[in-house]
Amino acid sequence: MRNIELLMAALEYIELHLSDEIKTEDIAGICFCSKSTLEKLFRSVHNISVHEYIVRRRMMLAAKKISQYPEIPILDIALEYGYSTHESFARAFTQIWNCKPSEFRTAKFTELFPRLYAPSEKGDNYIMQKKPVDISELYDLFKERKDCYFVTCDIKHMIPINEISRKAGDLAILEQMRRLTVSAGEEDVVFRIGGDEFCILTASSDAAYAEQIADKIRNMNNNTFSYGNQEIPLTLHVTTISLKECHSKDEVFSGLHSAIDKSKM
């Protein structure tokens, strides 16, 4: 099994078994490789361990249920995703979302950790410029809002933040998501479309409306977020774009990332 096929099989297996007990050695077994081979490949492509990815996907799906189905007890959601107590689930949830599960009841849900895919390839060499993530939900909404504007963002100088610590980088992503969420209108939806790339799909075909949102986000540039005893400034590249001429998920994905790249020039 080539590396690209191995990675595709592992990601598919994980997605189908997020409500089950999953061990890395079991995933390696169905991929016909060693645990160390799978871990090395996963880290080299996605910069995260298999276990970390599983936890983040589970907490993303759990957060979605907490936000969208307030009548379901949090313990029931914890049990669904493999946590036997409210306390153990709350610890894992807080590490990912930086808030308690109960605090998420009134939050506007955002897909902070969308499903990953194996990258494009030429032979067995991976094209690594953009993280391949699932934008199916975004694209389905886009088909309904074809004439509506996007606001796109990514973090300026993300590498120095990650060099402070991995946790600092995670908090920067959460702060970025928070800024987009508070700036978006009631019917606008925030999506993560890459490593530190996000977009808002607005519910408006008015370019001025999208620019108002972009300005709100820009006005928060250089505000800080807390990491331990440090206050770390965060600045975002922000731009707006209409993609009404796009007709596929790939075109939308490429269009959004092209807009982000241009905003850095």
Side-chain angles (χ1 to χ4, degrees):
M1 185 180 290
R2 293 184 305 161
N3 284 348
I4 191 73
E5 294 167 339
L6 188 159
L7 194 58
M8 289 171 64
L11 290 168
E12 183 67 22
Y13 181 88
I14 290 169
E15 205 63 25
L16 291 173
H17 294 85
L18 284 171
S19 295
D20 306 327
E21 182 180 357
I22 310 176
K23 295 181 179 179
T24 305
E25 49 264 37
D26 295 335
I27 304 170
I30 66 101
C31 294
F32 305 103
C33 70
S34 67
K35 178 181 175 181
S36 60
T37 295
L38 178 62
E39 284 285 10
K40 182 177 180 181
L41 178 62
F42 218 88
R43 285 186 179 277
S44 66
V45 174
H46 294 303
N47 196 32
I48 192 173
S49 74
V50 175
H51 176 70
E52 287 174 315
Y53 175 66
I54 292 170
V55 171
R56 290 182 179 206
R57 285 294 292 152
R58 283 175 170 165
M59 291 303 103
M60 199 283 297
L61 296 176
K64 187 173 187 176
K65 280 204 168 181
I66 290 171
S67 174
Q68 296 181 352
Y69 301 99
E71 71 279 5
I72 300 178
I74 288 176
L75 182 57
D76 288 358
I77 297 172
L79 292 170
E80 180 178 353
Y81 291 104
Y83 293 85
S84 58
T85 68
H86 185 284
E87 290 74 19
S88 61
F89 174 72
R91 282 195 298 271
F93 192 94
T94 302
Q95 286 179 347
I96 298 301
W97 289 98
N98 205 36
C99 70
K100 297 176 182 178
S102 58
E103 296 172 334
F104 215 85
R105 286 294 196 195
T106 56
K108 180 187 284 189
F109 174 75
T110 299
E111 254 195 44
L112 181 60
F113 297 108
R115 178 181 178 179
L116 296 177
Y117 283 110
S120 303
E121 60 160 342
K122 291 182 179 179
D124 211 25
N125 297 315
Y126 303 132
I127 300 172
M128 295 302 298
Q129 285 82 358
K130 305 298 179 188
K131 294 292 184 184
V133 301
D134 182 12
I135 64 162
S136 296
E137 188 174 344
L138 166 59
Y139 185 66
D140 287 343
L141 185 59
F142 167 74
K143 287 187 291 185
E144 300 174 11
R145 300 183 178 184
K146 198 83 170 179
D147 294 329
C148 294
Y149 272 80
F150 285 92
V151 180
T152 66
C153 301
D154 82 337
I155 295 175
K156 187 176 182 180
H157 304 314
M158 183 64 177
I159 291 176
I161 296 175
N162 278 327
E163 287 175 344
I164 295 171
S165 79
R166 177 69 175 272
K167 181 63 176 178
D170 289 344
L171 290 173
I173 294 293
L174 282 168
E175 172 60 16
Q176 178 184 21
M177 183 190 74
R178 185 195 68 79
R179 293 184 188 183
L180 269 64
T181 301
V182 300
S183 301
E186 189 65 32
E187 300 300 320
D188 305 330
V189 186
V190 179
F191 293 91
R192 189 175 184 178
I193 56 171
D196 64 337
E197 297 98 357
F198 280 75
C199 74
I200 301 171
L201 176 52
T202 74
S204 174
S205 58
D206 182 1
Y209 174 81
E211 281 299 332
Q212 285 178 349
I213 294 175
D215 284 341
K216 288 180 183 178
I217 299 168
R218 293 186 189 107
N219 287 338
M220 289 182 268
N221 275 347
N222 216 39
N223 288 357
T224 63
F225 65 93
S226 298
Y227 168 65
N229 295 323
Q230 289 183 262
E231 291 295 319
I232 302 174
L234 186 71
T235 296
L236 306 180
H237 297 285
V238 188
T239 192
T240 63
I241 188 172
S242 170
L243 295 178
K244 59 184 177 181
E245 301 302 322
C246 292
H247 302 288
S248 70
K249 280 196 293 186
D250 287 346
E251 288 181 353
V252 170
F253 185 85
S254 296
L256 291 170
H257 282 277
S258 293
I260 288 172
D261 290 342
K262 289 178 182 177
S263 72
K264 300 176 183 179
M265 296 177 181

